Amino acid sequence: MSTNTTTIDVAAGTPFIDTSRDFDAAPERVFQAFTDPELVVKWLGPRRLEMRLESYDARTGGSYRYTHVDGQGNEFGFRGVFHEVQEPLRIIQTFEFDGAPGQVTLDTTRFEDLGGRTRVVQRSVFPSVEARDMAVASGMDAGIKESMDRLEELLG
């Protein structure tokens, strides 16, 4: 059982969600799990959802689109654009849920080298505090934690 835990900070009155998680793998391996479509489908999202990856071009100027499907056939689509992909240091991208059109977040993911281990630090910037609060109320924190646990298993 891992001692690595996911920390999620939702500071009152700000439009940010800050997430941090350590992994027992080198930054290059963790970065690859974030950028290789064959790996992304193995960890991104809750286990109970099937992931259909329509496109995933993780390079500066690239874009992505995927759909999560639950056991009842309900679909949840997501899309975005990669603004910067700097291996193995940083990814800056947009994120938009089809169910909340126009509520685009700007997400920055940093991969900090801890000497053979990696700390992944993410900041999601929402268009407003209200949009951030709606995302939190949707239960997204559970999805983030489960995704990070699945990523750790994949890197294991």
Side-chain angles (χ1 to χ4, degrees):
M1 183 86 171
S2 169
T3 57
N4 296 328
T5 58
T6 302
T7 303
I8 300 174
D9 183 23
V10 182
T14 71
F16 311 126
I17 294 177
D18 293 311
T19 306
S20 178
R21 172 77 176 248
D22 292 356
F23 294 94
D24 299 322
E28 294 77 13
R29 283 192 58 222
V30 181
F31 185 90
Q32 181 185 18
F34 273 77
T35 56
D36 181 336
E38 291 181 16
L39 298 177
V40 169
V41 297
K42 294 180 180 180
W43 68 268
L44 186 58
R47 284 180 219 283
R48 64 182 173 74
L49 301 177
E50 172 197 347
M51 183 179 196
R52 290 191 205 139
L53 197 58
E54 296 165 42
S55 64
Y56 202 83
D57 185 12
R59 63 176 175 80
T60 299
S63 63
Y64 67 92
R65 179 161 184 76
Y66 62 86
T67 303
H68 280 129
V69 184
D70 70 14
Q72 292 73 47
N74 297 305
E75 297 187 355
F76 308 93
F78 303 89
R79 64 185 171 168
V81 175
F82 292 101
H83 288 263
E84 178 185 317
V85 178
Q86 185 181 1
E87 184 177 353
L89 302 173
R90 181 176 51 236
I91 299 170
I92 301 173
Q93 68 188 67
T94 61
F95 176 86
E96 184 174 8
F97 170 47
D98 289 350
Q103 300 301 310
V104 181
T105 67
L106 182 63
D107 297 343
T108 301
T109 303
R110 293 190 337 261
F111 303 85
E112 298 177 359
D113 189 342
L114 303 177
R117 301 178 71 236
T118 305
R119 176 166 297 140
V120 174
V121 178
Q122 297 178 294
R123 170 167 271 193
S124 294
V125 181
F126 289 76
S128 66
V129 173
E130 294 77 17
R132 191 275 319 259
D133 290 347
M134 285 176 51
V136 171
S138 77
M140 71 178 287
D141 59 327
I144 291 170
K145 289 176 181 177
E146 189 170 354
S147 290
M148 293 295 104
D149 290 346
R150 294 179 70 197
L151 176 56
E152 183 169 55
E153 292 165 13
L154 176 68
L155 293 168

PDB file of all heavy atoms in Angstrom, residues 16-29:
ATOM      1  N   PHE A  16      -9.221  28.826  -8.006  1.00  0.00           N
ATOM      2  CA  PHE A  16      -8.186  27.816  -8.220  1.00  0.00           C
ATOM      3  C   PHE A  16      -8.509  26.501  -7.517  1.00  0.00           C
ATOM      4  O   PHE A  16      -9.122  26.485  -6.448  1.00  0.00           O
ATOM      5  CB  PHE A  16      -6.832  28.277  -7.673  1.00  0.00           C
ATOM      6  CG  PHE A  16      -6.428  29.658  -8.101  1.00  0.00           C
ATOM      7  CD1 PHE A  16      -6.095  30.609  -7.163  1.00  0.00           C
ATOM      8  CD2 PHE A  16      -6.372  29.995  -9.443  1.00  0.00           C
ATOM      9  CE1 PHE A  16      -5.710  31.889  -7.541  1.00  0.00           C
ATOM     10  CE2 PHE A  16      -5.993  31.271  -9.843  1.00  0.00           C
ATOM     11  CZ  PHE A  16      -5.652  32.211  -8.887  1.00  0.00           C
ATOM     12  N   ILE A  17      -8.017  25.413  -8.104  1.00  0.00           N
ATOM     13  CA  ILE A  17      -7.899  24.131  -7.421  1.00  0.00           C
ATOM     14  C   ILE A  17      -6.449  23.709  -7.594  1.00  0.00           C
ATOM     15  O   ILE A  17      -5.946  23.630  -8.721  1.00  0.00           O
ATOM     16  CB  ILE A  17      -8.834  23.060  -7.990  1.00  0.00           C
ATOM     17  CG1 ILE A  17     -10.297  23.435  -7.743  1.00  0.00           C
ATOM     18  CG2 ILE A  17      -8.523  21.687  -7.373  1.00  0.00           C
ATOM     19  CD1 ILE A  17     -11.304  22.448  -8.336  1.00  0.00           C
ATOM     20  N   ASP A  18      -5.757  23.488  -6.482  1.00  0.00           N
ATOM     21  CA  ASP A  18      -4.364  23.057  -6.505  1.00  0.00           C
ATOM     22  C   ASP A  18      -4.288  21.615  -6.009  1.00  0.00           C
ATOM     23  O   ASP A  18      -4.837  21.285  -4.958  1.00  0.00           O
ATOM     24  CB  ASP A  18      -3.506  23.959  -5.614  1.00  0.00           C
ATOM     25  CG  ASP A  18      -3.420  25.381  -6.162  1.00  0.00           C
ATOM     26  OD1 ASP A  18      -3.127  25.522  -7.368  1.00  0.00           O
ATOM     27  OD2 ASP A  18      -3.639  26.334  -5.395  1.00  0.00           O
ATOM     28  N   THR A  19      -3.592  20.794  -6.787  1.00  0.00           N
ATOM     29  CA  THR A  19      -3.469  19.367  -6.490  1.00  0.00           C
ATOM     30  C   THR A  19      -2.000  18.994  -6.483  1.00  0.00           C
ATOM     31  O   THR A  19      -1.224  19.504  -7.300  1.00  0.00           O
ATOM     32  CB  THR A  19      -4.199  18.539  -7.569  1.00  0.00           C
ATOM     33  OG1 THR A  19      -5.539  18.995  -7.675  1.00  0.00           O
ATOM     34  CG2 THR A  19      -4.210  17.065  -7.231  1.00  0.00           C
ATOM     35  N   SER A  20      -1.630  18.081  -5.578  1.00  0.00           N
ATOM     36  CA  SER A  20      -0.245  17.613  -5.508  1.00  0.00           C
ATOM     37  C   SER A  20      -0.234  16.128  -5.173  1.00  0.00           C
ATOM     38  O   SER A  20      -1.051  15.658  -4.369  1.00  0.00           O
ATOM     39  CB  SER A  20       0.515  18.404  -4.438  1.00  0.00           C
ATOM     40  OG  SER A  20       1.836  17.935  -4.313  1.00  0.00           O
ATOM     41  N   ARG A  21       0.707  15.403  -5.787  1.00  0.00           N
ATOM     42  CA  ARG A  21       0.848  13.966  -5.509  1.00  0.00           C
ATOM     43  C   ARG A  21       2.271  13.554  -5.849  1.00  0.00           C
ATOM     44  O   ARG A  21       2.794  13.926  -6.885  1.00  0.00           O
ATOM     45  CB  ARG A  21      -0.155  13.163  -6.348  1.00  0.00           C
ATOM     46  CG  ARG A  21      -0.010  11.645  -6.313  1.00  0.00           C
ATOM     47  CD  ARG A  21      -0.558  11.059  -5.018  1.00  0.00           C
ATOM     48  NE  ARG A  21      -0.511   9.605  -5.004  1.00  0.00           N
ATOM     49  CZ  ARG A  21      -1.572   8.811  -5.034  1.00  0.00           C
ATOM     50  NH1 ARG A  21      -2.792   9.314  -5.090  1.00  0.00           N
ATOM     51  NH2 ARG A  21      -1.438   7.512  -4.983  1.00  0.00           N
ATOM     52  N   ASP A  22       2.895  12.780  -4.974  1.00  0.00           N
ATOM     53  CA  ASP A  22       4.222  12.222  -5.233  1.00  0.00           C
ATOM     54  C   ASP A  22       4.074  10.821  -5.820  1.00  0.00           C
ATOM     55  O   ASP A  22       3.148  10.085  -5.455  1.00  0.00           O
ATOM     56  CB  ASP A  22       5.041  12.140  -3.947  1.00  0.00           C
ATOM     57  CG  ASP A  22       5.419  13.513  -3.401  1.00  0.00           C
ATOM     58  OD1 ASP A  22       5.106  14.530  -4.059  1.00  0.00           O
ATOM     59  OD2 ASP A  22       6.039  13.554  -2.323  1.00  0.00           O
ATOM     60  N   PHE A  23       5.012  10.485  -6.718  1.00  0.00           N
ATOM     61  CA  PHE A  23       5.039   9.164  -7.344  1.00  0.00           C
ATOM     62  C   PHE A  23       6.442   8.586  -7.247  1.00  0.00           C
ATOM     63  O   PHE A  23       7.432   9.318  -7.348  1.00  0.00           O
ATOM     64  CB  PHE A  23       4.629   9.259  -8.824  1.00  0.00           C
ATOM     65  CG  PHE A  23       3.198   9.674  -9.001  1.00  0.00           C
ATOM     66  CD1 PHE A  23       2.878  11.002  -9.188  1.00  0.00           C
ATOM     67  CD2 PHE A  23       2.176   8.739  -8.956  1.00  0.00           C
ATOM     68  CE1 PHE A  23       1.552  11.402  -9.340  1.00  0.00           C
ATOM     69  CE2 PHE A  23       0.853   9.128  -9.090  1.00  0.00           C
ATOM     70  CZ  PHE A  23       0.543  10.460  -9.284  1.00  0.00           C
ATOM     71  N   ASP A  24       6.506   7.285  -7.059  1.00  0.00           N
ATOM     72  CA  ASP A  24       7.782   6.585  -6.964  1.00  0.00           C
ATOM     73  C   ASP A  24       8.267   6.202  -8.359  1.00  0.00           C
ATOM     74  O   ASP A  24       8.462   5.024  -8.672  1.00  0.00           O
ATOM     75  CB  ASP A  24       7.639   5.348  -6.068  1.00  0.00           C
ATOM     76  CG  ASP A  24       7.233   5.712  -4.647  1.00  0.00           C
ATOM     77  OD1 ASP A  24       7.715   6.743  -4.146  1.00  0.00           O
ATOM     78  OD2 ASP A  24       6.432   4.984  -4.050  1.00  0.00           O
ATOM     79  N   ALA A  25       8.454   7.212  -9.195  1.00  0.00           N
ATOM     80  CA  ALA A  25       8.926   7.023 -10.567  1.00  0.00           C
ATOM     81  C   ALA A  25       9.592   8.316 -11.013  1.00  0.00           C
ATOM     82  O   ALA A  25       9.261   9.399 -10.520  1.00  0.00           O
ATOM     83  CB  ALA A  25       7.752   6.679 -11.490  1.00  0.00           C
ATOM     84  N   ALA A  26      10.517   8.192 -11.957  1.00  0.00           N
ATOM     85  CA  ALA A  26      11.240   9.350 -12.474  1.00  0.00           C
ATOM     86  C   ALA A  26      10.303  10.266 -13.262  1.00  0.00           C
ATOM     87  O   ALA A  26       9.307   9.801 -13.829  1.00  0.00           O
ATOM     88  CB  ALA A  26      12.386   8.884 -13.371  1.00  0.00           C
ATOM     89  N   PRO A  27      10.614  11.573 -13.312  1.00  0.00           N
ATOM     90  CA  PRO A  27       9.762  12.519 -14.032  1.00  0.00           C
ATOM     91  C   PRO A  27       9.474  12.115 -15.476  1.00  0.00           C
ATOM     92  O   PRO A  27       8.360  12.310 -15.960  1.00  0.00           O
ATOM     93  CB  PRO A  27      10.561  13.828 -13.974  1.00  0.00           C
ATOM     94  CG  PRO A  27      11.382  13.707 -12.746  1.00  0.00           C
ATOM     95  CD  PRO A  27      11.731  12.253 -12.637  1.00  0.00           C
ATOM     96  N   GLU A  28      10.456  11.540 -16.153  1.00  0.00           N
ATOM     97  CA  GLU A  28      10.249  11.139 -17.548  1.00  0.00           C
ATOM     98  C   GLU A  28       9.137  10.104 -17.674  1.00  0.00           C
ATOM     99  O   GLU A  28       8.330  10.158 -18.608  1.00  0.00           O
ATOM    100  CB  GLU A  28      11.560  10.593 -18.152  1.00  0.00           C
ATOM    101  CG  GLU A  28      12.665  11.625 -18.287  1.00  0.00           C
ATOM    102  CD  GLU A  28      13.395  11.964 -16.976  1.00  0.00           C
ATOM    103  OE1 GLU A  28      13.226  11.235 -15.959  1.00  0.00           O
ATOM    104  OE2 GLU A  28      14.129  12.966 -16.961  1.00  0.00           O
ATOM    105  N   ARG A  29       9.089   9.160 -16.749  1.00  0.00           N
ATOM    106  CA  ARG A  29       8.047   8.116 -16.778  1.00  0.00           C
ATOM    107  C   ARG A  29       6.679   8.695 -16.461  1.00  0.00           C
ATOM    108  O   ARG A  29       5.679   8.334 -17.086  1.00  0.00           O
ATOM    109  CB  ARG A  29       8.366   6.988 -15.790  1.00  0.00           C
ATOM    110  CG  ARG A  29       9.441   6.050 -16.293  1.00  0.00           C
ATOM    111  CD  ARG A  29       9.557   4.779 -15.451  1.00  0.00           C
ATOM    112  NE  ARG A  29       8.303   4.045 -15.415  1.00  0.00           N
ATOM    113  CZ  ARG A  29       7.803   3.471 -14.311  1.00  0.00           C
ATOM    114  NH1 ARG A  29       8.432   3.542 -13.169  1.00  0.00           N
ATOM    115  NH2 ARG A  29       6.670   2.813 -14.362  1.00  0.00           N
TER     116      ARG A  29
END
